[in-house]
Amino acid sequence: MQPDDRLAEEAVAWAVRTGDAGFADWEGFTAWLEQSPDHAAAYDRVAAAVSEAAEGLAAVPAAANDDPVAPVRHSRRWFGGAIAASLAALVVFGVWRGDGTYVERTAPGEARTIALEDGSRIDLAGASVIELDRDDPRFARLEQGRALFTIRHDETNPFRLEAGEDTLVDAGTVFDVSLSANDMSVSVGEGAVIFNPARQAVRLAPGDRLRSARGSDEYVRTSIAAAQVGEWTQGRLTFDNAGLDEVAAELSRATGIAFRPAPNAAGRLSGSIVVDPVREDPRLAGALLGVTVRRQGDAWVIGTP
């Protein structure tokens, strides 16, 4: 969880508690507010959001046989109840962050398509996290996992993606990005992508693939069949000289089944695999990729023959 997420959740948690008529821990609440000016600011953002919602409720005309709605009083101790609880749920599920940004997450084995307001589309793979901005559909930040971007061309306002320490700027593009703890890779299917325009400024064309080591300016540029870019959205994974850790991560992401490399296993793999049969029987990954796959506890371990 990012620090901003944690602070937002804390603010809403206090909002829910202070909105309870039986709340008594004002000393603890005051101590939390005094820990940092950011705490009071986060709480006030929540309070403002609830206040706006409360005003909306107060503006709803009462039915003829209903009691009139009481006027809303604004203070630190505003009514919490259903509205504060709803805000808490929004924060927990990554929808509200107080600044227009929100987060979409997928579980292993789950895929999701996200339609952006400008007509672009993002296909998010399993076990992935991406941050988007309601106020700016031309920006995204991939925090982990994998995504396929199908971006509407706009010369005056190019789409910008942050992935780890790297920045990718598109020129009307279909491109696939994968981000792990060790590296970032991008493959271009259509159009063009500029890799780190303020640093290396590498232009990638269809069929180009670039892998960048995280925390370093080093990168390797190779080729890929343009038709393979994003093929995971059709249920197929293709590996080209991939390490066992990468193979295990991609299989886990696609199937929702835990795979991991055998301890100290070496070697690299190339090959193509259809996901559905492996989801039904993980042992098939071994025969299809020419490796050993065996059950160990709650995971399937991949090793070299």
Side-chain angles (χ1 to χ4, degrees):
M1 180 183 297
Q2 300 295 315
D4 287 348
D5 295 338
R6 187 177 298 108
L7 177 56
E9 289 191 13
E10 289 178 4
V12 173
W14 279 112
V16 174
R17 294 176 63 193
T18 56
D20 189 327
F23 179 74
D25 188 17
W26 293 105
E27 182 177 347
F29 175 53
T30 301
W32 179 80
L33 287 174
E34 293 176 347
Q35 286 177 12
S36 167
D38 292 342
H39 289 194
Y43 184 90
D44 285 340
R45 283 199 299 270
V46 177
V50 173
S51 179
E52 290 178 7
E55 289 174 355
L57 289 177
V60 176
N65 60 348
D66 287 345
D67 293 332
V69 178
V72 177
R73 294 181 175 84
H74 302 280
S75 70
R76 287 265 189 190
R77 187 176 183 182
W78 37 269
F79 77 101
I83 297 177
S86 297
L87 278 172
L90 290 175
V91 171
V92 168
F93 287 101
V95 177
W96 180 82
R97 283 185 140 188
D99 60 355
T101 60
Y102 63 103
V103 171
E104 294 279 359
R105 308 173 188 268
T106 53
E110 175 190 9
R112 184 179 306 164
T113 298
I114 304 166
L116 302 182
E117 290 185 3
D118 68 345
S120 301
R121 186 182 79 244
I122 301 173
D123 291 290
L124 196 62
S128 299
V129 180
I130 193 168
E131 180 182 293
L132 303 168
D133 191 337
R134 292 186 186 85
D135 301 325
D136 184 5
R138 305 295 288 179
F139 169 79
R141 178 181 293 109
L142 184 63
E143 298 185 353
Q144 72 177 49
R146 189 171 191 176
L148 177 69
F149 297 83
T150 304
I151 303 301
R152 182 183 63 81
H153 182 54
D154 185 346
E155 290 184 359
T156 63
N157 188 16
F159 182 85
R160 183 168 60 91
L161 172 70
E162 294 181 0
E165 298 76 23
D166 297 312
T167 299
L168 303 169
V169 177
D170 96 294
T173 318
V174 175
F175 63 104
D176 185 47
V177 180
S178 180
L179 181 67
S180 71
N182 298 319
D183 56 37
M184 184 282 302
S185 69
V186 53
S187 302
V188 180
E190 297 178 15
V193 167
I194 310 301
F195 169 70
N196 285 337
R199 291 155 53 194
Q200 297 95 332
V202 178
R203 182 180 179 88
L204 303 173
D208 284 340
R209 182 183 185 191
L210 182 146
R211 185 184 296 269
S212 171
R214 298 194 63 175
S216 169
D217 284 336
E218 297 180 2
Y219 66 90
V220 176
R221 184 172 180 171
T222 56
S223 297
I224 182 175
Q228 289 181 3
V229 176
E231 66 176 3
W232 58 266
T233 62
Q234 306 301 316
R236 177 178 290 275
L237 297 174
T238 297
F239 302 103
D240 181 15
N241 197 34
L244 294 186
D245 55 345
E246 179 183 346
V247 173
E250 289 298 330
L251 286 174
S252 299
R253 192 189 326 280
T255 65
I257 299 168
F259 287 86
R260 66 169 182 258
N264 303 317
R268 307 189 73 82
L269 299 178
S270 295
S272 188
I273 189 170
V274 177
V275 172
D276 280 346
V278 176
R279 188 181 286 116
E280 295 295 325
D281 184 356
R283 293 171 296 183
L284 289 177
L288 294 170
L289 294 173
V291 293
T292 62
V293 175
R294 57 187 176 83
R295 184 70 177 266
Q296 188 176 84
D298 58 355
W300 293 85
V301 177
I302 304 175
T304 51

